[in-house]
Amino acid sequence: MLKPNVLEKLNQQINAELYSAYLYYSMAGYFESINLKGFANWMTIQAQEELTHVARFFDYINDRSARVNMRAVDAPSNDWASPRAAIEDVYKHECAISEKINECVTLALQEHDHSTNGFLQWFVTEQVEEEAAADAIVQSLKLIGDNTSGLFMLDVELAKRVFVPPPAAAA
Ligand code: OFO
C-alpha cells in the first residue's frame, strides 16, 4: 500500500511529466515555425517519450491499488530567442526534473517504501541520459555559433531521431 505522502509525490510527478511533454511539443512548434524540421522532430520524439514517463507513473500507482489524481498542467512558453536558448531550456528543465525524481526517491527511502524506490530507479538512470542528450546539443550549438551551414547540418542530424518505446511502456 502506498502512504498518502508518497502517493501525493507520485501524482505531482505525473503532472511534471505531462508538463515536460507539453513543453517539448511547444518547442517542436517553435522549431517548425523557424523551419528547423530536424529540431522539431527531436522535440516531438522527446514529447512522446515524456508521455511514456507519464504512463509508467500511471501504471505504478494503479498497480499499487492507489488513485491517480490529475491536476491542471501549467502553460509552457511558446517562443524562444534562438535555437540555443530553447535547447538550453531543455537542459535546465531536465536538471529540474532530475531534482524532482531525487526528491521522490528521498521520500520513498524516508518512508521505507522500497517498492517505490525500486520503481524510481529507472527514472534515476533515465535522467542521466536526458541531461546528457540535451547538453550534447547545447555544446554543438556553442561550437556552431553563427554558422548557418553548421546549424542546418545539426538539423539534418536531429531529423534522424526515431521514437522507440521503452520495453516496459510498449503496448
Ligand atoms: Fe525528460 O524525463 Fe521525464 O520529465
Side-chain angles (χ1 to χ4, degrees):
M1 187 183 151
L2 284 176
K3 291 190 176 161
N5 56 347
V6 173
L7 174 60
E8 172 57 23
K9 202 80 177 152
L10 297 179
N11 272 315
Q12 285 173 12
Q13 195 60 33
I14 285 189
N15 188 271
E17 302 293 341
L18 280 167
Y19 175 78
S20 299
Y22 211 23
L23 173 66
Y24 296 143
Y25 270 124
S26 179
M27 287 184 175
Y30 160 72
F31 281 114
E32 286 283 352
S33 79
I34 57 171
N35 211 31
L36 285 173
K37 302 237 175 240
F39 280 82
N41 171 65
W42 193 91
M43 286 299 172
T44 301
I45 288 163
Q46 190 72 6
Q48 288 171 323
E49 282 195 358
E50 296 301 349
L51 294 177
T52 69
H53 298 173
V54 173
R56 277 178 186 269
F57 280 98
F58 180 88
D59 289 346
Y60 180 72
I61 290 172
N62 286 318
D63 286 349
R64 302 299 307 277
S65 303
R67 188 77 170 86
V68 165
N69 184 285
M70 295 292 178
R71 293 99 197 255
V73 179
D74 288 343
S77 297
N78 279 291
D79 262 308
W80 283 267
S82 64
R84 183 169 152 187
I87 304 290
E88 282 175 345
D89 273 3
V90 175
Y91 178 70
K92 280 186 222 147
H93 179 68
E94 288 302 335
C95 291
I97 290 291
S98 299
E99 248 343 282
K100 285 182 190 292
I101 295 290
N102 286 341
E103 286 169 18
C104 290
V105 171
T106 301
L107 180 64
L109 290 173
Q110 272 168 7
E111 295 294 345
H112 307 289
D113 184 344
H114 298 290
S115 316
T116 300
N117 175 45
F119 161 73
L120 289 167
Q121 290 309 306
W122 183 90
F123 286 94
V124 171
T125 306
E126 171 71 4
Q127 282 311 119
V128 174
E129 248 180 65
E130 292 274 70
E131 288 183 28
D135 190 47
I137 304 174
V138 170
Q139 298 313 319
S140 296
L141 286 168
K142 279 186 186 166
L143 284 174
I144 285 167
D146 292 333
N147 182 324
T148 312
S149 317
L151 185 62
F152 278 101
M153 278 171 63
L154 180 58
D155 193 57
V156 168
E157 204 46 45
L158 297 181
K160 294 178 190 161
R161 187 180 187 191
V162 289
F163 177 62
V164 182

